[in-house]
Amino acid sequence: MNGAQALLRTLVAGGVDTCFMNPGTSEMHFVAALDDVPEMRSVLALFEGVATGAADGYARMAGRPAAVLLHLGPGLGNGLANLHNARRARTPVLNVVGDHATYHKPLDAPLESDIDSIAAGVSGWIRRPLKTSELPADAADALAAAWGPPGQVATLILPADVSWSEGASPAGAPALRPPPPPPEGAVESAAAALESGRPAGLLVGGRACTAALLDRLGAIAAGTGARLLCETFPARIRRGAGVVAPERLAYLGEMAAAQLEGLAHLVLVDAKSPVSFFAYPGKPSDLVPDGCRVHPLCGPAEDVAAAVEALASLVPTVAPRLPPSERPDPPSGPLTASALADAVGLLLPEEAVVADESNTSGLFVAAATAGAPPHDWMTLTGGSIGIGMPLAAGAAVASPGRRVLALEADGSAMYTVQALWTMAREGLDVTTVVLANHSYAILNMELQRVGAGAGGPRARRMLDLSGPDIDFVSLARGMGVPASRATTAEELVDQLGRALSEPGPSLVEAVVVR
Amino acid sequence: MNGAQALLRTLVAGGVDTCFMNPGTSEMHFVAALDDVPEMRSVLALFEGVATGAADGYARMAGRPAAVLLHLGPGLGNGLANLHNARRARTPVLNVVGDHATYHKPLDAPLESDIDSIAAGVSGWIRRPLKTSELPADAADALAAAWGPPGQVATLILPADVSWSEGASPAGAPALRPPPPPPEGAVESAAAALESGRPAGLLVGGRACTAALLDRLGAIAAGTGARLLCETFPARIRRGAGVVAPERLAYLGEMAAAQLEGLAHLVLVDAKSPVSFFAYPGKPSDLVPDGCRVHPLCGPAEDVAAAVEALASLVPTVAPRLPPSERPDPPSGPLTASALADAVGLLLPEEAVVADESNTSGLFVAAATAGAPPHDWMTLTGGSIGIGMPLAAGAAVASPGRRVLALEADGSAMYTVQALWTMAREGLDVTTVVLANHSYAILNMELQRVGAGAGGPRARRMLDLSGPDIDFVSLARGMGVPASRATTAEELVDQLGRALSEPGPSLVEAVVVR
C-alpha cells in the first residue's frame, strides 16, 4: 500500500479515527485513501482555523486526539492560532501538514515555505519522514508524542512523494507512557502547607478539573480550611449542581490579585503559578502575593490522580459543600448581559457541553449556570480569539447525543465564522449564541487599563464593530444554519429554548444592550 | 513622546500613511497614537488575513508599502498566508507585530508565543526593538528593508513597554537603495541568445510588467523574433487594448511545457526559471525544455528598466503588434465559464483593477478581457488561496476613483470572507464576483493529476462545497455589502453592469454551470 494508506491505518490502529481537514493538491493521496480506510471519519472545514479548533474541541471531549490535515506552510499558518490554544490546553493533536515532494522543494515553487519554522512555535514534536517505508513508524511516534503526557501538538510534515509512493505497512498502536508520579517531596510539601495553620489555597487546573478529582480536592479543602481556586481558563471543567465548584481566578489581574490576597501558601494542582494575562504599566505581572509560597503538587506531565490521592491520605478530608440544583428565574425586559446569563442558566440542558468565548458580555454566565444540571465547560485557554465555534463543532463530533452550546462574542465569532458551514454539513447539535455588542468591548476596557486613556475617535473606531453592524442571522443562513435574532430577554428565552431542543445546528444573535 | 507615537511619525515621514490592522491589548498604545498622528489612515479588518492581503494589494497599486498591525504570534499566524503571497509578489510590507512587554515574556502568559519563529518563513527582515529610544531608528530600518529592492516583508516585533514608554523622537525618512544594474555580462548573454538564430523566448515577470517595459520588451521580441512570455502569476500586469500582451505561462505544468517546447534560449526578465506548481508522479518539475539555455537578464534586486534598455540597445527592435480594442458580444443563456468571461470582458471599466482569484472557473476571462480598455491585473502570486477580496480591498484604498473587480472562486472566497465587512465600512469601490461552482474544482482535477484516481465518494466529499450550498448573497448582506445572484448570462450582464456603475462595494454571486 502507499504511504497515505498506511498512515491512515496506523492512525486508526492508534485510536485516532477522526480527521478535520482542509486539504490541497499535496494532500490528495491522503484524501484518496479515505475510501480505503473507512474507519477514519473525515470532516471538511472551509478554513484551517476551524479544523484545528475542532481538533482541540474533539480531544477535550473525547479524551483522545483527532488528526488534522493542513496544506503546506500557509495552511498551517491559517490553523496556527487555534493550535496555539490547543498547546495551552495541553490537548493532544496529531497535526499532519502536507508538503511538496522531496525532490520538488529545492525548486522554490510558489507554495514552498518554511513549515518547520512555522510549526515550531506550537508543536511539542515535529518530524518530516523522508521514506515511505518509515512513515508508519513516524506516525506512531507522532501519536505517542501527541498523547504525552502532557498532551501536545505533534506535527508530522508529510512530503507528497512519501505519501504517494508504495511500500508502506501500517504500524501498530504506539506504546503510551503512563504519567510518572509527582516529584519527590511535592506531596509532603503541599500537605505541610495545608496544615501549617496559615491561609492556604489549592489552585486547580488542567486534568484536575474532572468531577472525581474536584470532589477529592473539595474534600481536602474542606478538611484543611484551604480555599479551592481554579485557573482562569481551564481546558475543560465539570460543573453544575452537585459538582464541587472551585472559585475561578478572574481574567483581570487586579481582581485575581484580590482573590489571592492574604494567602501564605498556594498549592498548584496541574496549574501554573498565576500571572496576569497582559502587562500593564505600573501593575505587577506576577499575581502571587508577596510572601506567599508556591507548592507545585504536580505538573501536566505527572499523574494528577495519584498526586491528589496521596495528598488526601496525608491531610484531613471532609465531605465538601456542593452547589444545589437551582436555575435563575426567567429574565424579562432589556437584553442585558445579566438577562442573557439568566436565560442560559434557565435553559442549559443536562450534560450540555459549553464552548465559552463570551468574553465581556458573558461575565455573568458562570454564576447563572452554577446550579444548572451537570455539564462540561471549555474555555479559551491560549487567549487567541476565534476558537469558540470550531471548539464547539469538534466537541459535537466527539459527543453525539449531547447538546453543545457555543457562547460567542461577536468580535471573536468573525475570526472563524466558517465553522457554521461545517456544523451544517455534519448536522452537529450545536447551538451558537452570538453576544452582539458590536464592539471589541474588551479592548475599549484594555485601552484604559494599559494607560492609553479613553482613546480619541480614531482609536475608538478601531475597536468598534458597528458601521456596518454585522447581521449574524444572515451569515448563519448563508452557511446553512437556521438563525434568529433576539432583542429582548423574552425573545432570547423563547428562541434559545427552541434552538436547544431542535436537532442540528442553530444560531441566536443576542443583541445585548451596549 | 512615547514609542508608539514616534513610530507612527517615523512611518509617515517615510511615506507610509496607511495601516491595515487587527489589534489587541498589547497594541493599544499604537491604536491610541492614531489620534496624535492623523496623517496615518487606519483600516480595521475583522481577521488578520484580510489586513495582510490588503497591505499587499495596497502596495501593488500604490507602489509604496502600507503598514500592518497584528497581535502577537497567533495574530501573525492568522495573517501568515497572505504574507506568504506578498513575499512571492515581492511586495514591500511593513509588518508590525505587537508583543508582550519585555519583562512579561519570561512569565509565559497564555498568549506568549514564538513570534520570531513564526515570522521567519515570510519575512526578509525581522527586528525586535528593546528600547523606546531606539524604536524610531529601527522602524526606519524596517522601512528601508521593506522597500528593498527587492520588496519584502519587514517584521518589526514591538514589545508593549517599548511602545508605551516615553523618550522617543521620530526618525526621518530612510535612505532608499537604488537598484544595482544587472550582473556583469547578463545583458550581453541575453542579446547573444536573442540573436543566435535559434528559437528564443523572453519570460517577463515582477516589475517588468508595466506598460512602458512591456512595450520595450515587445519591440525587442518583434525585432529579434523571440517569443514574449509572462510568468504564470504576475503580481501586477498592465493589459488591455493597446498594451503589449505577453503570453502567460499556464498553471498546468503540461500546458506550460508545451508553451516552452522548442525553445533553445530563455531570457528571464525579473522572472524565475519556470517550474511546475506542484510535483506530479512521473512528470518533470523543472519546465525548461531539455537543451534550452536559461539567461537571467535581471533579478528582483536589480534595475529592470536599465536592463531592458541596455538589451534594447544591443538588438534590433520593431514596433510591436498591439491588441486591438474589442469586447465580446453580450453572452446569453446558461452561465458557463465562457459566458462569465464574456460578461467581464464586455463590462470591464477603463482603468479597472482586477484582483484575480478566479481559479478554474476563470479560465476564459483573460482572453475575454484582452481587448478591454487598459487596466491592471493582480494575481495569486504565492498560491495560498484567500487573497482575492483582501487584495481588492487594499487596492481600492490605494486607488480612489478606480473600480476594483475581485474575481473570486467560491472556495477561495471563504478563507477571508470577512474582507467584505472592511469594504463596506470603508465604502470601497470594489465589485466582487463570486464564481460559485460549489466545489474545490481544482482539487477534483488535481486528484487525478497526482495519480490518485477519480477518488471514491468519501474523497470527493472533501472536495465538494455543496451540502449545504453557500449563499454568498446572504453572507455579503450580513456584512453590509449589497448583493445579488445571477443564474443566467443575461442576469450576470445586467447585475454586473449595475454593480460596476454604483459607488461603494457590491457582490454578484455567479452560479456557474457545474
Side-chain angles (χ1 to χ4, degrees):
Chain A
M1 63 180 69
N2 69 26
Q5 292 159 333
L7 169 59
L8 284 180
R9 287 243 163 266
T10 301
L11 295 184
V12 169
V16 174
D17 60 8
T18 303
C19 183
F20 299 93
M21 58 173 62
N22 185 266
T25 298
S26 38
E27 292 74 56
M28 282 300 99
H29 284 83
F30 187 114
V31 172
L34 291 171
D35 286 286
D36 304 311
V37 187
E39 299 89 340
M40 178 67 79
R41 176 175 181 181
S42 60
V43 177
L44 178 62
L46 301 185
F47 175 70
E48 291 87 345
V50 176
T52 54
D56 186 359
Y58 177 93
R60 291 195 203 182
M61 292 311 301
R64 59 202 168 92
V68 179
L69 181 65
L70 305 174
H71 183 48
L72 300 140
L76 174 60
N78 282 338
L80 210 66
N82 276 336
L83 289 176
H84 167 86
N85 287 326
R87 176 172 79 92
R88 289 303 187 182
R90 302 194 184 282
T91 302
V93 177
L94 199 287
N95 181 37
V96 181
V97 183
D99 196 5
H100 283 310
T102 51
Y103 61 84
H104 196 72
K105 285 187 76 64
L107 298 178
D108 196 35
L111 268 167
E112 176 60 28
S113 55
D114 184 355
I115 299 175
D116 304 74
S117 164
I118 299 169
V122 293
S123 310
W125 183 101
I126 302 176
R127 194 177 296 170
R128 179 192 288 278
L130 295 176
K131 291 186 179 172
T132 299
S133 59
E134 294 170 7
L135 169 60
D138 287 332
D141 287 352
L143 259 178
W147 273 108
Q152 58 187 357
V153 178
T155 297
L156 189 72
I157 305 173
L158 180 58
D161 53 342
V162 173
S163 181
W164 78 47
S165 297
E166 295 290 327
S169 308
L176 300 182
R177 279 177 295 136
E184 181 90 18
V187 178
E188 292 73 13
S189 164
L194 295 177
E195 298 205 277
S196 68
R198 303 201 54 210
L202 285 156
L203 182 61
V204 176
R207 299 151 304 143
C209 298
T210 63
L213 289 180
L214 288 174
D215 189 66
R216 295 302 282 154
L217 290 160
I220 292 169
T224 61
R227 290 179 46 215
L228 189 62
L229 300 157
C230 175
E231 61 185 359
T232 309
F233 292 110
R236 173 186 174 181
I237 184 167
R238 185 72 172 173
R239 58 196 301 280
V243 182
V244 167
E247 178 188 344
R248 251 175 88 185
L249 280 187
Y251 165 76
L252 297 181
E254 303 89 314
M255 289 173 63
Q259 290 173 286
L260 295 165
E261 201 180 328
L263 290 182
H265 298 282
L266 186 63
V267 174
L268 305 178
V269 188
D270 200 0
K272 293 175 71 169
S273 189
V275 301
S276 69
F277 214 81
F278 292 103
Y280 301 91
K283 292 176 190 161
S285 284
D286 185 341
L287 299 178
V288 178
D290 282 347
C292 175
R293 281 190 57 201
V294 174
H295 309 263
L297 172 68
C298 82
E302 294 138 16
D303 189 335
V304 63
V308 170
E309 274 318 310
L311 180 60
S313 73
L314 294 185
V315 298
T317 59
V318 166
R321 251 192 74 226
L322 302 177
S325 173
E326 61 182 348
R327 302 257 203 189
D329 292 329
S332 61
L335 189 36
T336 60
S338 167
L340 181 139
D342 284 350
V344 173
L346 180 71
L347 297 167
L348 192 71
E350 189 160 354
E351 289 302 328
V353 179
V354 179
D356 180 8
E357 193 173 37
S358 58
N359 305 350
T360 49
S361 292
L363 195 58
F364 306 112
V365 176
T369 53
H375 55 272
D376 288 294
W377 201 274
M378 304 185 295
T379 76
L380 173 52
T381 48
S384 179
I385 56 177
I387 195 180
M389 295 191 293
L391 202 65
V397 170
S399 316
R402 296 179 70 174
R403 171 61 53 170
V404 180
L405 175 65
L407 297 175
E408 268 299 317
D410 51 359
S412 301
M414 287 304 291
Y415 288 76
T416 47
V417 69
Q418 305 93 335
L420 291 166
W421 184 85
T422 296
M423 294 178 195
R425 166 172 274 201
E426 300 291 327
L428 302 176
D429 292 334
V430 178
T431 301
T432 300
V433 177
V434 172
L435 289 66
N437 60 8
H438 305 291
S439 170
Y440 288 127
I442 199 164
L443 293 182
N444 275 302
M445 181 183 73
E446 295 285 38
L447 192 66
Q448 305 210 25
R449 277 165 42 80
V450 298
R458 289 162 54 80
R460 286 199 305 272
R461 188 160 183 267
M462 294 299 101
L463 313 180
D464 171 27
L465 301 177
S466 66
D469 280 358
I470 298 160
D471 175 349
F472 282 94
V473 174
S474 195
L475 294 185
R477 289 180 183 162
M479 286 181 270
V481 171
S484 61
R485 177 175 298 109
T487 58
T488 65
E490 289 85 349
E491 284 175 8
L492 179 60
V493 169
D494 176 52
Q495 294 174 20
L496 181 57
R498 205 153 356 108
L500 288 169
S501 66
E502 281 169 8
S506 54
L507 179 143
V508 178
E509 179 180 333
V511 183
V512 292
V513 176
R514 322 190 196 192
Chain B
M1 65 180 68
N2 70 26
Q5 293 161 332
L7 169 59
L8 284 180
R9 287 242 161 267
T10 301
L11 296 183
V12 169
V16 174
D17 60 8
T18 303
C19 182
F20 299 92
M21 60 173 63
N22 185 267
T25 298
S26 38
E27 291 74 57
M28 283 299 99
H29 284 81
F30 187 114
V31 171
L34 292 170
D35 286 285
D36 304 311
V37 187
E39 299 88 340
M40 178 66 81
R41 176 175 181 180
S42 60
V43 177
L44 178 62
L46 301 186
F47 175 70
E48 292 87 345
V50 176
T52 54
D56 186 0
Y58 177 94
R60 291 196 203 181
M61 292 311 301
R64 59 201 167 94
V68 179
L69 181 66
L70 304 174
H71 183 48
L72 300 140
L76 173 61
N78 282 338
L80 210 67
N82 276 336
L83 288 176
H84 168 87
N85 287 325
R87 175 172 80 93
R88 289 302 187 184
R90 302 194 184 281
T91 302
V93 177
L94 198 285
N95 181 36
V96 181
V97 183
D99 195 7
H100 283 310
T102 50
Y103 61 85
H104 196 72
K105 286 186 76 65
L107 299 179
D108 196 36
L111 268 166
E112 177 61 27
S113 55
D114 185 354
I115 299 175
D116 304 73
S117 165
I118 300 169
V122 294
S123 310
W125 183 100
I126 302 176
R127 194 177 295 170
R128 178 192 290 277
L130 295 176
K131 291 186 180 171
T132 300
S133 60
E134 294 170 5
L135 168 60
D138 287 331
D141 287 353
L143 258 180
W147 273 107
Q152 60 186 356
V153 178
T155 296
L156 189 71
I157 304 174
L158 180 58
D161 53 341
V162 173
S163 181
W164 77 47
S165 297
E166 294 291 326
S169 308
L176 301 181
R177 279 176 297 137
E184 182 92 16
V187 179
E188 293 73 13
S189 164
L194 295 177
E195 297 206 279
S196 67
R198 302 200 57 210
L202 285 156
L203 181 61
V204 176
R207 299 150 305 143
C209 298
T210 63
L213 289 181
L214 288 173
D215 188 68
R216 295 301 283 154
L217 289 159
I220 292 169
T224 62
R227 290 176 48 213
L228 188 62
L229 301 156
C230 175
E231 62 185 357
T232 309
F233 293 110
R236 173 186 173 181
I237 184 168
R238 185 72 172 173
R239 57 196 302 279
V243 181
V244 167
E247 178 187 346
R248 252 174 86 184
L249 280 188
Y251 164 78
L252 297 181
E254 303 90 313
M255 290 175 62
Q259 290 174 286
L260 296 165
E261 200 180 328
L263 289 183
H265 297 283
L266 185 63
V267 174
L268 305 178
V269 188
D270 199 359
K272 294 175 72 169
S273 188
V275 301
S276 69
F277 214 81
F278 292 103
Y280 301 92
K283 293 177 189 161
S285 285
D286 185 341
L287 300 177
V288 177
D290 283 346
C292 176
R293 279 191 58 203
V294 175
H295 309 264
L297 173 66
C298 81
E302 293 138 18
D303 189 336
V304 62
V308 170
E309 274 317 311
L311 180 60
S313 73
L314 294 184
V315 298
T317 58
V318 166
R321 252 191 73 227
L322 301 178
S325 174
E326 59 181 348
R327 301 258 202 188
D329 292 330
S332 62
L335 188 37
T336 60
S338 167
L340 181 138
D342 284 351
V344 173
L346 179 70
L347 297 168
L348 193 70
E350 189 160 353
E351 289 301 326
V353 179
V354 179
D356 180 8
E357 192 173 36
S358 57
N359 306 350
T360 48
S361 292
L363 196 59
F364 307 111
V365 176
T369 52
H375 54 272
D376 288 293
W377 201 274
M378 303 184 295
T379 77
L380 174 52
T381 48
S384 178
I385 56 177
I387 195 180
M389 294 191 294
L391 202 65
V397 171
S399 316
R402 297 178 70 174
R403 172 62 51 170
V404 180
L405 175 64
L407 297 174
E408 268 299 318
D410 52 358
S412 302
M414 287 304 291
Y415 288 77
T416 47
V417 69
Q418 304 93 337
L420 291 166
W421 184 85
T422 296
M423 294 179 194
R425 165 172 275 199
E426 300 291 326
L428 302 176
D429 292 335
V430 179
T431 301
T432 300
V433 176
V434 172
L435 289 67
N437 60 9
H438 304 290
S439 169
Y440 288 127
I442 199 163
L443 293 183
N444 275 302
M445 182 182 72
E446 295 284 38
L447 191 67
Q448 306 210 27
R449 278 165 42 79
V450 299
R458 290 162 52 80
R460 286 200 305 272
R461 188 161 182 266
M462 294 297 103
L463 314 180
D464 170 27
L465 301 178
S466 66
D469 281 358
I470 298 160
D471 175 349
F472 282 95
V473 174
S474 195
L475 294 185
R477 290 180 183 161
M479 287 181 270
V481 171
S484 61
R485 178 175 298 109
T487 58
T488 66
E490 290 86 347
E491 285 175 6
L492 179 60
V493 169
D494 177 50
Q495 293 174 19
L496 181 58
R498 207 156 351 111
L500 288 169
S501 66
E502 281 169 9
S506 53
L507 180 143
V508 178
E509 179 179 335
V511 183
V512 293
V513 176
R514 321 190 196 192

